[in-house]
Amino acid sequence: MAKDGPNWDGLLKWSIANSDGTRPTHNLSEEDKRWFMEAMQSQTVDVIKRMKEITMVMQTPEQVLEAQGVTAADIEDMLDELQEHVESIDMANDLHSIGGLVPLLGYLKNSHANIRAKAAEVVSTIVQNNPRSQQLVMEANGLEPLLSNFASDPDVTVRTKALGAISCGYNCCSIVYFLILNFTLIRYNKPGIAAFRLANGYAALRDAVGADSARFQRKALNLIQYLLHENHSDCNVVNELGLPRVMLHLASSEDAEVREAALRGLLELARDKTGGSNGGLGEEDEKLKQILEERIKGISLMSPEDLGAAREERQLVDCLWSTCYKEPSSLREKGLLSLPGEDDPPPDVASKHFEPPLRGWAANHTGDSKPSVKKQEAPLLLGPIPPN
């Protein structure tokens, strides 16, 4: 905002003097009108213009700003100002239109903890009670750095501000759905997995595997298998939510990758030692056996090309059968578990196409029985003749 201009106290006194009700109203002179407009304009900021200027700064590389003398404290002050502007829902939505949302989200990964925390505060303001901006932040992958900061940032203030932004803009289902599609965020990330459980993630997974999208089903099933593999105690939660029944249904899906993902999850449940003789599948044993028999029949009718593509499914069906019923599946008897040539080592193409020059030269000269250059024998060195 401008620092030079008419004194606000003077403007207030002038306004009171001209509207105290003690005198009849009168038209302002042109000079008074001009003075009043100049006073107001000098104290008015073009918000969009100022947001564009801030956007230019955010888009400038950090090393360039440092070379120009801009400090981390200056950036924090700038973000403070931006936060004031985006308190208006219209201005918050306009930030994306002028190109400022993406660089703001980039500040969530800034090397300065104070800037990461302040950027999360601005995001909180943008998404609060603003579905349009919530969607824009999601589409710009803004939830990823927020979740990452919340789960693992070394600075407690950054973690707190990140959680605040997540809480302001997104409910648990939205967060879990995002994690399903981007579950690398919680792979090998214990705090992330804990946050997933606290967000009632398995309930959202149950809804996800029932979705119409095969891609979404596949990703949800892969996440279930990973979580069960990491912690078999979660098998109880999965059973209570009725997920095995849904997974059995998806094991007959027309989508091969969905079938395989469902079978991998069922195998983790079957390997759970706390679920009785058939692991964590419990009452679904008969249904499982029926599904596996149907898959064996379906595999038996496959063409040679389809059999090759279904290698993992064949192995999963056999492994699941062996785990549950303590005997090999009929795929072994039919010779369908391992097809001819599948276990052969791959052809040695490297030595043929990338043969070292020396080895190639030696190979070319091994069978040459008539070398072009005859090897010279070393001369016999004789000493002086000994005396008689």
Side-chain angles (χ1 to χ4, degrees):
M1 297 179 71
K3 294 183 179 178
D4 298 325
N7 186 291
W8 279 111
D9 290 338
L11 182 60
L12 177 62
K13 291 176 181 178
W14 180 90
S15 300
I16 293 174
N18 285 273
S19 60
D20 62 0
T22 61
R23 297 183 263 183
T25 59
H26 64 279
N27 294 329
L28 294 176
S29 66
E30 290 301 320
E31 183 180 355
D32 287 340
K33 288 181 182 179
R34 187 168 55 255
W35 180 87
F36 179 78
M37 292 304 297
E38 289 176 355
M40 295 302 296
Q41 289 174 1
S42 68
Q43 301 299 321
T44 301
V45 175
D46 184 338
V47 176
I48 291 294
K49 179 181 178 183
R50 183 59 186 146
M51 286 171 58
K52 288 181 178 179
E53 293 171 351
I54 293 174
T55 296
M56 288 183 62
V57 175
M58 293 192 296
Q59 292 172 336
T60 304
E62 186 176 354
Q63 60 271 25
V64 175
L65 293 176
E66 290 177 353
Q68 296 176 0
V70 179
T71 66
D74 294 330
I75 300 296
E76 286 182 66
D77 291 341
M78 181 190 72
L79 292 175
D80 264 326
E81 181 187 346
L82 180 61
Q83 187 174 8
E84 292 180 8
H85 297 323
V86 297
E87 286 177 353
S88 160
I89 288 181
D90 291 337
M91 292 297 107
N93 294 337
D94 284 341
L95 182 65
H96 171 73
S97 302
I98 64 176
L101 181 60
V102 171
L104 171 64
L105 296 174
Y107 274 155
L108 294 169
K109 302 177 183 179
N110 192 272
S111 57
H112 297 279
N114 289 346
I115 293 178
R116 295 197 301 274
K118 192 63 200 178
E121 269 195 77
V122 180
V123 174
S124 300
T125 302
I126 289 172
V127 300
Q128 189 166 17
N129 301 320
N130 188 346
R132 171 64 178 156
S133 281
Q134 291 170 11
Q135 183 65 27
L136 290 172
V137 170
M138 186 84 81
E139 291 174 356
N141 292 326
L143 200 51
E144 178 179 345
L146 286 171
L147 286 166
S148 177
N149 288 0
F150 164 61
S152 56
D153 197 281
D155 188 277
V156 65
T157 303
V158 175
R159 295 200 301 271
T160 304
K161 298 296 184 182
L163 177 59
I166 294 168
S167 303
C168 281
Y170 304 96
N171 57 34
C172 290
C173 284
S174 298
I175 297 169
V176 172
Y177 279 10
F178 180 82
L179 288 173
I180 291 170
L181 294 173
N182 303 271
F183 93 91
T184 51
L185 288 173
I186 59 175
R187 185 191 288 270
Y188 312 121
N189 183 346
K190 290 184 178 180
I193 293 175
F196 176 87
R197 292 195 182 100
L198 288 174
N200 200 19
Y202 277 111
L205 281 174
R206 178 185 56 193
D207 296 336
V209 293
D212 293 332
S213 167
R215 172 176 174 266
F216 205 48
Q217 289 174 339
R218 184 171 64 251
K219 287 182 173 291
L221 288 166
N222 286 335
L223 180 52
I224 291 172
Q225 185 268 332
Y226 171 76
L227 293 170
L228 294 179
H229 181 75
E230 290 297 302
N231 191 350
H232 272 279
S233 64
D234 286 359
C235 290
N236 294 330
V237 179
V238 168
N239 274 302
E240 290 173 3
L241 290 171
L243 275 166
R245 189 177 299 107
V246 182
M247 294 162 71
L248 284 169
H249 173 71
L250 294 177
S252 299
S253 170
E254 294 182 0
D255 188 288
E257 292 185 359
V258 171
R259 288 200 306 270
E260 292 173 4
L263 289 169
R264 283 193 293 268
L266 290 168
L267 183 57
E268 292 295 341
L269 287 171
R271 287 171 171 169
D272 176 31
K273 303 303 181 183
T274 64
S277 59
N278 291 324
L281 290 168
E283 300 174 355
E284 304 297 337
D285 175 56
E286 286 301 319
K287 180 67 174 176
L288 172 65
K289 195 168 189 177
Q290 179 185 345
I291 293 292
L292 291 178
E293 288 173 344
E294 290 175 357
R295 290 313 311 143
I296 291 172
K297 182 179 179 181
I299 290 170
S300 303
L301 297 175
M302 286 182 176
S303 65
E305 294 80 6
D306 291 339
L307 278 173
R311 182 178 186 181
E312 184 175 359
E313 183 179 0
R314 289 184 277 120
Q315 294 173 342
L316 285 168
V317 168
D318 180 73
C319 190
L320 195 49
W321 186 283
S322 301
T323 301
C324 291
Y325 309 116
K326 313 304 179 188
E327 63 179 13
S329 73
S330 58
L331 288 174
R332 293 177 182 267
E333 300 174 6
K334 298 176 180 180
L336 297 175
L337 182 60
S338 179
L339 301 180
E342 279 188 337
D343 296 327
D344 293 346
D348 184 10
V349 296
S351 62
K352 180 179 179 180
H353 296 285
F354 303 99
E355 188 176 65
L358 184 60
R359 192 198 313 175
W361 181 88
N364 293 333
H365 289 74
T366 299
D368 192 353
S369 59
K370 297 180 179 180
S372 58
V373 181
K374 184 176 180 180
K375 183 178 179 181
Q376 294 183 354
E377 295 182 358
L380 179 63
L381 301 178
L382 300 176
I385 299 174
N388 292 329

